[in-house]
Amino acid sequence: SELSNSPVFIDKLKENDHSDISRGAFAVAVVMVMVRRHLVMPSSQLLAFTLGRRSIVFPGIGTGAIDTKLHRLASTSNEPTSASTPLFSAEEARLYSLVSENHRQPNGPWPQMVSAVESALKAELTSTTATVLDLASGPGEPATTLAKTFPDLQIIATDVSPDMVQIASSNTALLGNIQVEQANMENLPYEDNMFDIVTCCYGYMFPEDKEKALAETYRVLKPGGSLIATVWSHMNAMYLPKLIMENVLGETPPPPPINPLSLAEPGLFQSMLTAAKFESVVSSKHEYAFDMGKDDLPFQISTLTIMAKLDELDGWKVAKEVFDKRHLEFGRFDENNCFIVGGNIYEMVVAKK
């Protein structure tokens, strides 16, 4: 009973340095107790921890495609949502959080967006006191870095995925000038003219109704306020999942359900901003490489955008075979045996209301 009512206990479990087998067995026991009693932590989240961490090994279960399939099955969220925006499952959220650390590179979007926010603050306000809304914040960025860099800012970080919100809440727990909320960017729960600045790193590619998302952004932004957003222009990291799906389907695949390149057409995002009544649209392009990690992580991250389709088509075995044969066409291993994929280009746009 005490265990079932103490999520903190699970955090302690994560910190303990037990052997792989005993830790795995103990985690499964915790899952069984909590599922039976229908208790406070969703079983999908706990199973995602149990099966989704590569350091936990269960006898008779190998690595690779089988593990990835288990990760996906274990981390499917049953929480209802009215959002049309694609939701990340717990496992997708975990992988996205890992790969998103690449965005922290000097030429990555997070430091570039922080610089753009600083410029906007200097141009529009007499101090760094302002209200900021961070959309599609994922693990809590760039909101977390902004909160640390500008302690006087009041920031709300949002994401449509409850699993992402949980990760962001953990990452920002010690910061007093930021709060994390679940929100659908197509239907924001905020008043008109509420925020001085809106930031959105790699978010506008995913809503089903992108025009509605931009209209909502415009609505909640104060007159004279700034939108600072990034979208992908080119991703070498997306060629490998496309190749995998070609082999699974036996034909050229349609765009993935989660498509980072949906706004990659030159001039498309700027024209959408203009149509949404934004003014003074200024853009710049930047390039950086992805460190995809080592061991089985490169395969897991490479299939992040096509997990649902591989589940649906039972395509994990083919996916692993294609990855093992062809991955060196798209990247290289560094001295630490991490898989590096270069040639990823994004566009940062600053627009005003």
Side-chain angles (χ1 to χ4, degrees), residues 96-110:
Y96 180 81
S97 295
L98 290 174
V99 75
S100 68
E101 282 301 307
N102 287 287
H103 306 338
R104 216 178 285 281
Q105 298 178 43
N107 210 35
W110 294 347

Side-chain angles (χ1 to χ4, degrees), residues 166-187:
Q166 184 181 40
I167 292 171
S169 297
S170 176
N171 290 340
T172 60
L174 300 180
L175 297 173
N177 60 335
I178 183 172
Q179 62 189 76
V180 181
E181 300 177 355
Q182 184 177 356
N184 175 11
M185 61 198 305
E186 297 174 50
N187 188 24

Side-chain angles (χ1 to χ4, degrees), residues 13 38 70 80 82 101 106 113 123 132 181 201 204 219-220 231-232 242 285 298 332 337:
L13 173 64
H38 306 285
L70 286 171
S82 60
E101 282 301 307
M113 294 179 77
V132 178
E181 300 177 355
C201 182
Y204 287 111
R219 179 182 65 80
V220 302
V231 296
W232 283 111
K242 181 179 179 181
K285 289 194 174 183
R332 60 178 177 82
N337 206 33

Side-chain angles (χ1 to χ4, degrees), residues 84-349:
S84 62
T85 305
L87 294 183
F88 284 109
S89 69
E91 175 61 9
E92 288 166 337
R94 180 185 77 88
L95 291 173
Y96 180 81
S97 295
L98 290 174
V99 75
S100 68
E101 282 301 307
N102 287 287
H103 306 338
R104 216 178 285 281
Q105 298 178 43
N107 210 35
W110 294 347
Q112 295 295 323
M113 294 179 77
V114 169
S115 296
V117 168
E118 183 175 22
S119 298
L121 290 172
K122 289 179 179 178
E124 299 166 17
L125 304 167
T126 57
S127 72
T128 56
T129 301
T131 53
V132 178
L133 174 65
D134 189 31
L135 298 173
S137 195
E141 291 288 358
T144 302
T145 301
L146 287 171
K148 293 176 179 178
T149 306
F150 307 107
D152 291 333
L153 289 181
Q154 294 300 314
I155 302 171
I156 298 178
T158 68
D159 203 280
V160 71
S161 166
D163 294 299
M164 284 297 193
V165 169
Q166 184 181 40
I167 292 171
S169 297
S170 176
N171 290 340
T172 60
L174 300 180
L175 297 173
N177 60 335
I178 183 172
Q179 62 189 76
V180 181
E181 300 177 355
Q182 184 177 356
N184 175 11
M185 61 198 305
E186 297 174 50
N187 188 24
L188 293 172
Y190 306 114
E191 296 179 0
D192 296 356
N193 308 318
M194 184 172 175
F195 298 97
D196 296 289
I197 296 172
V198 175
T199 57
C200 183
C201 182
Y202 301 146
Y204 287 111
M205 301 92 68
F206 302 123
E208 182 178 329
D209 191 340
K210 297 172 178 57
E211 289 80 6
K212 181 70 184 309
L214 288 172
E216 279 291 277
T217 301
Y218 187 89
R219 179 182 65 80
V220 302
L221 194 61
K222 292 179 181 179
S226 293
L227 166 64
I228 299 166
T230 58
V231 296
W232 283 111
S233 298
H234 178 85
M235 288 185 74
N236 278 349
M238 286 298 294
Y239 285 115
L240 191 49
K242 181 179 179 181
L243 177 64
I244 288 172
M245 286 307 299
E246 284 179 354
N247 281 265
V248 171
L249 293 171
E251 59 185 16
T252 302
I258 301 175
N259 184 13
L261 294 173
S262 65
L263 294 176
E265 179 184 331
L268 175 59
F269 189 52
Q270 295 95 317
S271 65
M272 292 175 66
L273 288 168
T274 301
K277 302 181 181 180
F278 284 95
E279 301 176 349
S280 305
V281 179
V282 178
S283 66
S284 58
K285 289 194 174 183
H286 310 264
E287 180 177 347
Y288 63 116
F290 273 13
D291 181 339
M292 311 276 274
K294 60 176 67 176
D295 301 326
D296 199 47
L297 263 182
F299 172 68
Q300 294 179 30
I301 291 172
S302 293
T303 54
L304 173 57
T305 61
I306 56 174
M307 280 183 167
K309 276 295 179 184
L310 292 177
D311 283 347
E312 177 186 332
L313 300 170
D314 195 21
W316 285 104
K317 180 180 179 182
V318 173
K320 190 65 167 66
E321 290 173 351
V322 173
F323 178 86
D324 289 344
K325 290 179 181 177
R326 304 287 297 274
H327 64 279
L328 289 179
E329 298 175 24
F330 304 95
R332 60 178 177 82
F333 286 98
D334 66 7
E335 63 276 8
N336 298 315
N337 206 33
C338 293
F339 190 57
I340 309 297
V341 179
N344 305 296
I345 302 171
Y346 70 94
E347 183 175 26
M348 184 172 73
V349 176

